[in-house]
């Protein structure tokens, strides 16, 4: 630090360094924040003269600016919530990632409905952008067909039949583990409860209904001619119908009702405190709701109806499997009677 002292100061007979810290930001009068400080050294050189007692003082100041605070890069990742590799996390640490069917893609989705180079994620460190690369079947963010979209934390990205959830923030590891836990209870496509959670909850409700002598009913329904929808409009349209129907019905049920995807296009809604008569009323309401709903996929209206089987608990009922079997028998009767109708016990 003393390299700046030249031979001209060789006559100094006293050298006294003094150290202090001062605020150096222009216009900054608040010296209470350590990150605002530079380190300042004042070196005073006193030179004595042969005549008199006068002393010349030379002050040399060296200021070293402390490193400014570095803004951390925002973490981001894509998590598969529906499709092959369920639960797999793709960290977005680089500047860009290609998603597609090709084995050369950074994120490969080996499905016929996915283009070889389908979409691209551009990560600046502060924002992430999803860009479609002219794919055949399009890229969807929150069920909206996009050319390019800035991704927000929690957005759903659908490419082919695979659905990703975009996570970003200061602690995506925690968010990722929360999402994995949620996947143990929720169906990734429809966002209603999955079969495992449905059966566990229904088992508890059966026990509660017997213990307190309370009514309990279920309705079981599936989409009429769903195979024809897939064959006519494609599997992407079929996925859209499943999700749209699920969300439409879910919005109409009570908080205490439990709606779950039993399998394929079959769904169950458990209705605590509801007897057989009121369960039939509710089932008819749901049937009409679906029949009147406008299912619009890529500017094409798809006609959708459902058939419903209804069952109410009985004293000898002991398991969810028995309960669902009885509702399924009534569902089968509804289909054989012409579909788009409700049949109960």
């Amino acid at each position: 630090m003393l390299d700046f002292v030249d031979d001209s100061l060789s006559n100094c007979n006293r050298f006294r360094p003094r150290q202090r810290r001062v605020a150096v930001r222009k216009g900054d009068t608040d010296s209470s924040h350590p990150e605002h400080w530079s380190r300042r050294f004042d070196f005073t050189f006193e030179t004595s003269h042969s005549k008199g007692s006068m002393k010349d003082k030379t002050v040399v100041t060296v200021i070293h600016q402390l490193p400014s605070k570095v803004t951390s890069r925002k973490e981001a990742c894509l998590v598969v919530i529906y499709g092959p590799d369920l639960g797999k996390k793709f960290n977005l640490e680089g500047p860009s990632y290609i998603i597609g069917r090709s084995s050369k893609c950074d994120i490969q989705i080996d499905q016929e409905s996915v283009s070889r180079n389908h979409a691209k994620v551009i990560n600046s460190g502060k924002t992430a952008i999803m860009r479609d690369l002219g794919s055949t079947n399009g890229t969807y963010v929150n069920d909206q067909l996009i050319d390019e979209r800035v991704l927000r934390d929690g957005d759903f990205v659908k490419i082919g039949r695979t659905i990703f959830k975009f996570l970003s923030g200061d602690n995506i590891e925690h968010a990722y583990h929360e999402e994995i836990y949620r996947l143990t209870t929720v169906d990734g496509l429809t966002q209603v409860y999955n079969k495992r959670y449905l059966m566990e909850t229904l088992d508890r409700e059966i026990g509660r209904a017997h213990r307190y002598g309370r009514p309990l009913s279920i309705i079981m329904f599936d989409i009429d001619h769903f195979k024809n929808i897939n064959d006519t409009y494609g599997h992407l349209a079929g996925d859209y119908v499943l999700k749209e129907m699920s969300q439409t019905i879910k919005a109409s049920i009570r908080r205490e009702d439990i709606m779950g995807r039993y399998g394929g296009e079959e769904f169950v809604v458990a209705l605590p405190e509801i007897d057989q008569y009121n369960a039939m009323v509710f089932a008819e309401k749901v049937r009409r709701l679906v029949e009147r709903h406008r299912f619009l996929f890529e500017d094409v209206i798809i006609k959708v109806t459902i058939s419903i089987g209804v069952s109410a608990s009985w004293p000898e009922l002991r398991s969810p499997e028995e309960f669902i079997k009885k509702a399924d028998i009534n569902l089968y009767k509804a289909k054989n009677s012409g579909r788009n109708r409700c049949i109960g016990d």
Side-chain angles (χ1 to χ4, degrees):
M1 185 177 293
L2 299 179
D3 292 343
F4 63 87
V5 182
D6 59 21
D7 293 338
S8 65
L9 298 178
S10 59
N11 292 326
C12 295
N13 58 14
R14 280 195 294 171
F15 169 71
R16 183 169 66 251
R18 292 181 293 113
Q19 176 180 331
R20 55 179 173 159
R21 295 194 299 175
V22 295
V24 295
R25 284 193 177 179
K26 189 174 183 180
D28 185 5
T29 58
D30 181 7
S31 60
S32 64
H33 300 291
E35 66 268 24
H36 295 168
W37 290 103
S38 286
R39 191 171 296 277
R40 171 173 172 167
F41 295 90
D42 288 354
F43 297 96
T44 302
F45 300 91
E46 297 182 359
T47 306
S48 297
H49 297 272
S50 56
K51 294 182 180 180
S53 59
M54 183 180 294
K55 296 179 180 180
D56 292 335
K57 295 184 179 181
T58 302
V59 178
V60 180
T61 302
V62 180
I63 298 178
H64 294 282
Q65 179 70 47
L66 295 180
S68 59
K69 189 175 180 181
V70 179
T71 303
S72 60
R73 186 181 181 89
K74 197 173 185 180
E75 295 181 310
C77 70
L78 290 171
V79 181
V80 179
I81 65 168
Y82 182 75
D85 298 322
L86 182 67
K88 187 172 182 178
K89 180 176 71 166
F90 296 94
N91 289 318
L92 304 177
E93 298 172 343
S96 65
Y97 292 82
I98 301 295
I99 306 173
R101 193 176 74 249
S102 171
S103 59
K104 296 180 181 180
C105 288
D106 302 299
I107 301 175
Q108 185 186 18
I109 307 174
D110 191 11
Q111 297 173 5
E112 287 299 320
S113 54
V114 177
S115 299
R116 291 182 62 80
N117 294 308
H118 194 107
K120 182 178 185 179
V121 183
I122 303 167
N123 182 21
S124 70
K126 294 183 179 179
T127 59
I129 298 172
M130 180 64 67
R131 178 182 296 165
D132 185 74
L133 298 178
S135 63
T136 302
N137 292 308
T139 301
Y140 293 81
V141 175
N142 299 329
D143 294 325
Q144 298 295 315
L145 185 65
I146 60 104
D147 291 322
E148 184 172 299
R149 176 78 61 86
V150 174
L151 295 177
R152 309 294 181 189
D153 182 44
D155 279 351
F156 295 99
V157 178
K158 186 174 183 182
I159 295 176
R161 300 193 69 191
T162 295
I163 300 175
F164 299 92
K165 187 170 184 178
F166 176 72
L167 302 177
S168 67
D170 297 328
N171 189 359
I172 62 169
E173 197 64 29
H174 175 70
Y176 170 67
H177 288 296
E178 283 191 338
E179 186 61 28
I180 292 301
Y181 174 75
R182 198 182 71 86
L183 288 176
T184 64
T185 63
V186 174
D187 176 64
L189 174 64
T190 61
Q191 295 299 298
V192 298
Y193 290 120
N194 58 24
K195 182 179 179 180
R196 174 176 168 270
Y197 184 85
L198 172 69
M199 299 300 278
E200 289 176 354
T201 305
L202 194 52
D203 187 48
R204 290 195 298 270
E205 288 297 330
I206 290 171
R208 192 182 71 85
H210 286 328
R211 190 179 310 115
Y212 299 108
R214 306 302 301 170
L216 172 66
S217 299
I218 62 172
I219 69 169
M220 187 174 190
F221 58 92
D222 73 3
I223 299 173
D224 297 329
H225 303 296
F226 185 66
K227 185 178 182 302
N228 291 344
I229 293 175
N230 280 329
D231 293 343
T232 304
Y233 305 104
H235 288 282
L236 295 179
D239 288 348
Y240 160 78
V241 168
L242 287 170
K243 183 173 183 179
E244 183 71 9
M245 181 199 68
S246 300
Q247 293 304 305
T248 300
I249 296 174
K250 184 181 177 182
S252 72
I253 66 177
R254 304 172 302 167
R255 255 181 99 178
E256 56 267 36
D257 297 335
I258 303 101
M259 179 176 176
R261 187 181 182 185
Y262 187 71
E265 68 271 23
E266 292 184 320
F267 295 81
V268 172
V269 180
L271 305 168
E273 304 291 336
I274 298 295
D275 57 18
Q276 171 74 25
Y277 173 81
N278 286 300
M280 286 294 295
V281 172
F282 173 76
E284 181 60 22
K285 173 187 172 183
V286 168
R287 186 196 67 78
R288 289 179 181 174
L289 183 67
V290 174
E291 184 181 36
R292 295 170 180 173
H293 188 76
R294 189 168 180 258
F295 292 86
L296 181 66
F297 180 75
E298 295 183 351
D299 298 326
V300 176
I301 296 176
I302 303 173
K303 181 67 176 176
V304 179
T305 61
I306 58 174
S307 299
I308 306 176
V310 182
S311 181
S313 61
W314 61 96
E316 297 77 23
L317 173 64
R318 290 294 176 266
S319 72
E321 289 78 12
E322 287 181 80
F323 209 178
I324 288 178
K325 183 178 180 180
K326 193 171 182 183
D328 190 37
I329 291 172
N330 290 332
L331 171 59
Y332 184 76
K333 291 177 181 177
K335 286 192 170 294
N336 284 344
S337 301
R339 293 182 169 82
N340 192 24
R341 63 192 63 207
C342 311
I343 290 186
D345 297 333

